[in-house]
Amino acid sequence: MSTRVFDNVAYDRDSAAPDQTFHQASHKLQMQPAQLKPLQGAGQHNGLPRRAAVSDGSSLRESTQELFETSEAQIRYRAYSRLQAAAVAMGESLAIPEIVAIGGQSDGKSSLLEAFLGFRFNVREVEMGTRRPLIVQMVHDPTAQEPRCRLQEEESNEYGPPIVPETAVADAIQRRTEEHLRKMGNIAVSSKPIVMRAEYAYCPNLTIIDTPGFILKAKTGELDNTPDEIMSMVKAQASPPHRMVLFLQQSSVEWASSLWLRVVQEVDPYFQRTVIVASKFDNRLKEFAERWEVDKYLSATGYLPPNVRPFFVALPKDRAIQSSAEWRRSMAEVDAAVFKHLRDGIKGGFDEERFASRIGFSNLKKFLEEELSRRYREAAPATLALLQERCDAVSAELMAAEIRLKAAEDVGALRRAAMKYADTVARQVLLLLQGSAEPDPMQHGLTTDEERAASRAPQWPGLNSVGLQPVYYESKLFGGAAFERCLEEFHIAVNSTRFPASMSSDRLRNIMYAYKGKHLTGGPTKAAEDVARQAAKEALGPLLDAACIRLSFILRRLYDIAADRAAATMGSKENLHPYIAFHAALRSSHQAFINRLEEQARGMLRTHLEAATSQFAMNMYVHVSDPGDPEESMQPGDCSDGDLVEDDGTVAGEQLDDSAEVLNERLKAVRLASAAGPGRFEDNTPSRRATKSRRVALQQNSERPLLAGAGNGVSAGGSSVGSSHDDVILAAESLFRKIRCAVATQYAPATLKSTFLDPMTDRLALEVSLDLFARTDADFGSMFSAAGAVAALAAKRDMLARRVEGLIKCKNEFQELAKCL
């Protein structure tokens, strides 16, 4: 280290003297007029303009002071400084020229940041730059004789109070970093930057983003992917084209062995916005003895592109330095010592004409200030246009917030809009049930297998669903088409149901013994009726429940399709898209209505099944021929076509057979009586008005033995259970087929259609309206805003208003200041 050149007089000057002394010392020990020759002109390097080297001390002092003191420079930086502060505070992305410092850990980025600031705050002790980016906005303020450093709040655009003393800045940054990382789940690094504004009389007008240093391996206790996270974070900070990249590498590392130079090439392949700095240059100087060695190293020939000319910087290593003034004097002394060694310690010196302007911290700072000043001028038109664009966008956002807040407070308008939307959805549901070609079946339709899998209905209990394929089972259907296909599938399932094998001999004997001695010759007949009745309830009841579940699933799916169509046909202001709670309530109302229809249909089907298995119906089945088993053979007696048929294959309705008419009319009477409630059943069918002889014949037929040979085993006390077992089973199976035919062709399809489709057409809109709109204003308004939501909307509106005001003010101020750029 060279002898200190500051005499007592210079050291004791007023508050502006230390900075002036810094420039004088730099000139006296670095740029002796007798040893320097002016450059032939400005050249180009790194795609950036290069200013000529200064030839005398007065020129250097004036050039440096100009950056601090001229009104043009102050206005220029003040405009961008205020603009950048506003952009960071409001989360805006403005292409403001900035500097991003990158490099490996311990390559000197923290010391360089302290050098630019003009004071030390123990950066290296706490490694504050290793886990979060730090945006340092330096503002040259001649009135700030002591540094004024303030950190921006994490969740707002406000800055906290000044941190006093300045040596406590690093501790404050460390605490904030640890708190943030802990909130994020104890992660190692975070890409969310810390913003610090530093106002000082001895700092330049620069904005530097200090990034975590590259590492090869994570520290103990950190995740293994920490190096990759740091790499991604630094690339993200350095990639924007409006940012200059300040790449630091220790001078002891050869350019050919650089580990991190490839990162620069990835974000800036042609080094058009990159400034390379070889740090800790004083360590490398000890290795040089002759001029050719120094010049070869300084030129970096063969390792860097020809247009890249690095800077070579050394900074004080004495950690015992306390005051900021002493720190600045030490930087000047180190620069002076480097030049002295190059001139006196190297045989033949060095090529000062080529390299003098690239050596020392003062030259690096001067170059960066000039380059940023030039970039400020060039970026002014685009920046102003971008500010206007952001003002317009945020103003539109503010207007939308105003409209939403007003709508949330106007309950009457909400009711009208909600009723219109609910009615539109209901009408769309009806159109889909009636049949519509507009919705895309590939998007909304389901095949039979997909429908079975998506619904919660059992797969036709007791049957193999693979063989139950209706027509168009592979087509994607929805709405009314899917409803009709499901009815067809139900019809096939009922006709495929066999007499239950669960009717064991023990159950049969229990029934037959119970009737023994009570019905004389009619005991087996009564037993067969009871067996058929129980078999029908066990086999057909679950099928009826499954049909209700499947059909209600088809109807519930219509809401999503109808809501999509309603949103497409209505305007953005009419479909109430932002109000999630309202749409959820509307959906729930639709589903609840369909659930009620499902329960109603299930109850009515159970009532009809009771009617079809009642004693009155059993008496009527005597006059109906056995339809046969469709699974064994498709005989003319198969009722799969939906009609009762006779043994000769003709439809009963065509022959107008008296017994079939009586059956159908009396079963209808039984259903009406059951629906009317308990009480005496009054038979008012045509058979009641039949002749007396006809009624006697019907009564005799109902009391005939079960089968022709059934009487052979009947004792004086009644029928023989053993001999009548097979006859009872055969008779029960015949009755079961008749009940099955009646359910499949008459009761169930008509009931399912009338219970599901008619209410959907007649009552859906009314039921939904009563459920949604028959409420108080407070209850109705809760669907559109949760508790405190109006206040939250108002707070958002106010925030946007302040943001618009700040942007407009910033734009106007920048517009005025840009005239001086």
Side-chain angles (χ1 to χ4, degrees):
M1 184 65 67
S2 62
T3 305
R4 299 181 65 151
V5 298
F6 297 96
D7 58 283
N8 294 332
V9 177
Y11 185 78
D12 293 332
R13 291 180 182 177
D14 58 14
S15 58
D19 194 65
Q20 183 178 1
T21 306
F22 171 79
H23 298 305
Q24 292 173 345
S26 300
H27 157 66
K28 183 175 181 180
L29 296 179
Q30 297 175 22
M31 308 271 182
Q32 307 247 349
Q35 296 174 326
L36 289 179
K37 296 180 181 180
L39 293 177
Q40 296 302 318
Q44 291 287 330
H45 85 98
N46 304 0
L48 310 175
R50 186 185 68 197
R51 290 187 54 165
V54 183
S55 59
D56 54 36
S58 61
S59 299
L60 173 63
R61 181 173 63 254
E62 292 172 0
S63 176
T64 306
Q65 289 178 343
E66 175 192 358
L67 297 173
F68 285 141
E69 298 174 2
T70 63
S71 60
E72 179 181 341
Q74 285 298 316
I75 291 174
R76 182 182 305 125
Y77 185 76
R78 187 168 76 242
Y80 275 96
S81 177
R82 292 176 61 87
L83 182 60
Q84 185 182 56
V88 173
M90 292 180 289
E92 298 291 343
S93 177
L94 300 178
I96 301 173
E98 299 164 330
I99 299 174
V100 180
I102 69 174
Q105 198 172 57
S106 302
D107 278 350
K109 291 190 287 80
S110 300
S111 297
L112 187 65
L113 179 61
E114 289 180 326
F116 278 113
L117 284 168
F119 63 91
R120 292 182 60 251
F121 51 96
N122 300 325
V123 176
R124 285 164 289 183
E125 274 82 351
V126 297
E127 296 182 347
M128 65 87 187
T130 60
R131 291 182 288 174
R132 291 180 67 180
L134 175 66
I135 300 177
V136 182
Q137 299 171 335
M138 304 181 196
V139 179
H140 173 68
D141 184 357
T143 65
Q145 297 303 312
E146 295 296 332
R148 292 195 298 261
C149 298
R150 293 176 295 173
L151 297 179
Q152 190 181 42
E153 300 297 335
E154 293 277 21
E155 304 299 335
S156 72
N157 55 6
E158 302 295 332
Y159 285 84
I163 302 174
V164 180
E166 64 270 19
T167 54
V169 170
D171 294 331
I173 293 174
Q174 183 185 30
R175 286 193 302 270
R176 176 166 293 191
T177 299
E178 292 175 351
E179 291 175 1
H180 174 71
L181 297 180
R182 185 166 53 251
K183 289 180 181 179
M184 299 298 293
N186 292 322
I187 58 178
V189 294
S190 173
S191 59
K192 184 177 181 180
I194 297 175
V195 181
M196 184 178 78
R197 184 178 180 86
E199 300 172 354
Y200 194 30
Y202 305 107
C203 73
N205 289 316
L206 294 177
T207 295
I208 296 182
I209 303 174
D210 187 23
T211 60
F214 299 122
I215 57 176
L216 293 174
K217 184 179 180 181
K219 294 191 300 185
T220 303
E222 294 182 350
L223 297 176
D224 294 338
N225 65 341
T226 299
D228 295 332
E229 290 188 7
I230 293 177
M231 181 73 69
S232 300
M233 184 192 312
V234 173
K235 286 182 179 179
Q237 293 291 338
S239 294
H242 65 275
R243 288 178 174 172
M244 296 175 60
V245 179
L246 187 64
F247 172 65
L248 273 74
Q249 178 176 284
Q250 295 188 42
S251 58
S252 58
V253 177
E254 298 293 342
W255 297 115
S257 304
S258 176
L259 293 173
W260 313 117
L261 191 60
R262 61 179 179 83
V263 181
V264 178
Q265 292 177 303
E266 291 179 11
V267 298
D268 185 20
Y270 302 105
F271 297 92
Q272 293 178 331
R273 54 188 180 89
T274 300
V275 177
I276 297 179
V277 177
S279 60
K280 304 180 182 180
F281 183 52
D282 50 341
N283 293 339
R284 188 61 185 265
L285 282 178
K286 302 173 184 177
E287 302 177 8
F288 301 134
E290 298 185 9
R291 174 170 177 159
W292 69 270
E293 295 177 304
V294 177
D295 291 347
K296 180 180 179 181
Y297 173 76
L298 295 178
S299 63
T301 304
Y303 303 109
L304 296 175
N307 64 313
V308 177
R309 298 181 61 199
F311 282 88
F312 303 89
V313 175
L315 295 172
K317 297 183 176 62
D318 186 3
R319 304 305 299 171
I321 298 174
Q322 297 297 325
S323 68
S324 299
E326 189 175 357
W327 168 247
R328 294 191 296 274
R329 288 195 299 272
S330 297
M331 286 191 290
E333 291 177 353
V334 170
D335 278 358
V338 167
F339 275 96
K340 182 175 178 60
H341 182 82
L342 287 171
R343 296 187 183 109
D344 302 336
I346 303 297
K347 185 178 180 180
F350 73 107
D351 191 343
E352 296 193 32
E353 182 177 353
R354 291 179 59 193
F355 303 118
S357 62
R358 318 298 295 180
I359 297 174
F361 171 74
S362 60
N363 284 325
L364 173 64
K365 181 176 70 171
K366 173 174 169 290
F367 169 80
L368 291 177
E369 287 180 308
E370 290 180 328
E371 180 59 24
L372 279 179
S373 180
R374 181 186 68 83
R375 287 174 175 258
Y376 285 158
R377 288 192 299 269
E378 293 178 353
T383 303
L384 188 59
L386 183 59
L387 271 175
Q388 182 63 54
E389 179 181 336
R390 293 302 302 147
C391 286
D392 295 341
V394 179
S395 297
E397 192 175 352
L398 174 61
M399 184 178 298
E402 290 277 8
I403 294 174
R404 186 174 180 183
L405 179 60
K406 183 178 179 181
E409 294 175 340
D410 189 352
V411 179
L414 286 176
R415 282 186 182 274
R416 291 190 295 272
M419 292 179 70
K420 181 179 179 180
Y421 180 79
D423 182 68
T424 302
V425 173
R427 285 190 284 105
Q428 292 294 336
V429 169
L430 299 185
L431 290 175
L432 294 173
L433 285 175
Q434 295 170 1
S436 176
E438 184 176 347
D440 184 7
M442 297 304 296
Q443 179 182 357
H444 301 292
L446 295 176
T447 64
T448 297
D449 291 338
E450 292 172 343
E451 191 175 282
R452 290 172 181 170
S455 67
R456 57 182 177 86
Q459 301 302 312
W460 305 121
L463 299 175
N464 183 5
S465 299
V466 176
L468 304 178
Q469 301 292 14
V471 180
Y472 307 123
Y473 68 94
E474 293 183 340
S475 299
K476 288 183 175 292
L477 304 181
F478 59 86
F483 193 94
E484 292 295 336
R485 184 178 63 182
C486 184
L487 285 181
E488 180 184 346
E489 185 181 351
F490 166 73
H491 185 271
I492 296 174
V494 172
N495 283 332
S496 301
T497 304
R498 308 295 297 273
F499 185 80
S502 60
M503 291 297 171
S504 63
S505 298
D506 290 341
R507 295 182 67 181
L508 181 60
R509 291 189 181 101
N510 273 283
I511 296 174
M512 294 185 66
Y513 268 109
Y515 283 105
K516 182 179 180 181
K518 297 180 180 179
H519 293 279
L520 298 177
T521 60
T525 301
K526 296 298 182 183
E529 291 174 357
D530 277 4
V531 171
R533 181 181 295 110
Q534 187 62 30
K537 291 180 179 180
E538 291 184 2
L540 301 180
L543 295 180
L544 296 174
D545 292 339
C548 290
I549 296 175
R550 277 280 297 279
L551 292 174
S552 64
F553 167 75
I554 292 172
L555 296 180
R556 278 194 293 268
R557 287 193 67 245
L558 291 181
Y559 175 80
D560 294 328
I561 308 174
D564 290 344
R565 294 191 63 188
T569 56
M570 303 180 69
S572 58
K573 295 181 180 180
E574 297 176 328
N575 60 26
L576 304 175
H577 177 70
Y579 301 108
I580 299 175
F582 165 73
H583 288 282
L586 180 60
R587 179 189 181 90
S588 298
S589 182
H590 273 259
Q591 306 305 316
F593 177 68
I594 295 173
N595 290 341
R596 292 195 295 271
L597 295 183
E598 179 185 346
E599 292 299 322
Q600 182 180 352
R602 185 180 286 109
M604 292 187 66
L605 288 174
R606 289 290 183 179
T607 299
H608 294 332
L609 183 59
E610 289 290 339
T613 57
S614 66
Q615 185 59 52
F616 184 85
M618 292 296 177
N619 294 338
M620 296 299 100
Y621 290 139
V622 175
H623 311 289
V624 179
S625 60
D626 188 350
D629 193 340
E631 288 193 1
E632 295 179 355
S633 62
M634 295 300 294
Q635 298 297 329
D638 183 11
C639 67
S640 60
D641 59 354
D643 295 311
L644 295 174
V645 272
E646 299 293 346
D647 293 336
D648 60 358
T650 60
V651 181
E654 294 177 358
Q655 288 188 334
L656 299 177
D657 182 83
D658 292 340
S659 61
E661 290 181 0
V662 171
L663 171 63
N664 292 335
E665 292 171 356
R666 292 206 171 189
L667 290 178
K668 179 179 179 181
V670 171
R671 295 199 302 272
L672 294 175
S674 301
R680 179 177 178 83
F681 167 62
E682 180 180 356
D683 185 4
N684 194 29
T685 59
S687 62
R688 179 64 182 270
R689 299 187 296 273
T691 62
K692 182 177 180 181
S693 60
R694 178 61 176 160
R695 292 199 300 273
V696 170
L698 291 175
Q699 179 66 25
Q700 290 176 349
N701 288 336
S702 65
E703 295 177 354
R704 286 184 300 183
L706 183 65
L707 292 172
N712 295 333
V714 179
S715 63
S719 61
S720 172
V721 176
S723 62
S724 301
H725 179 275
D726 293 339
D727 295 338
V728 170
I729 291 297
L730 291 175
E733 289 181 351
S734 177
L735 285 173
F736 174 81
R737 287 191 290 270
K738 295 176 182 180
I739 297 171
R740 181 187 66 187
C741 183
V743 171
T745 60
Q746 296 179 21
Y747 308 140
T751 300
L752 290 171
K753 287 186 177 181
S754 63
T755 308
F756 279 112
L757 296 184
D758 292 345
M760 291 290 290
T761 302
D762 301 333
R763 305 201 328 262
L764 174 62
L766 177 61
E767 294 282 347
V768 171
S769 296
L770 290 175
D771 188 23
L772 285 180
F773 305 115
R775 306 184 181 191
T776 63
D777 287 349
D779 189 17
F780 177 79
S782 64
M783 292 189 295
F784 294 86
S785 60
V790 174
L793 288 175
K796 182 178 180 180
R797 186 269 317 273
D798 295 341
M799 182 272 293
L800 287 172
R802 290 193 299 270
R803 187 173 176 182
V804 169
E805 182 181 1
L807 277 173
I808 292 177
K809 182 179 179 181
C810 188
K811 183 204 70 171
N812 293 337
E813 183 177 358
F814 184 82
Q815 188 173 10
E816 292 299 322
L817 294 174
K819 297 176 181 179
C820 303
L821 296 182

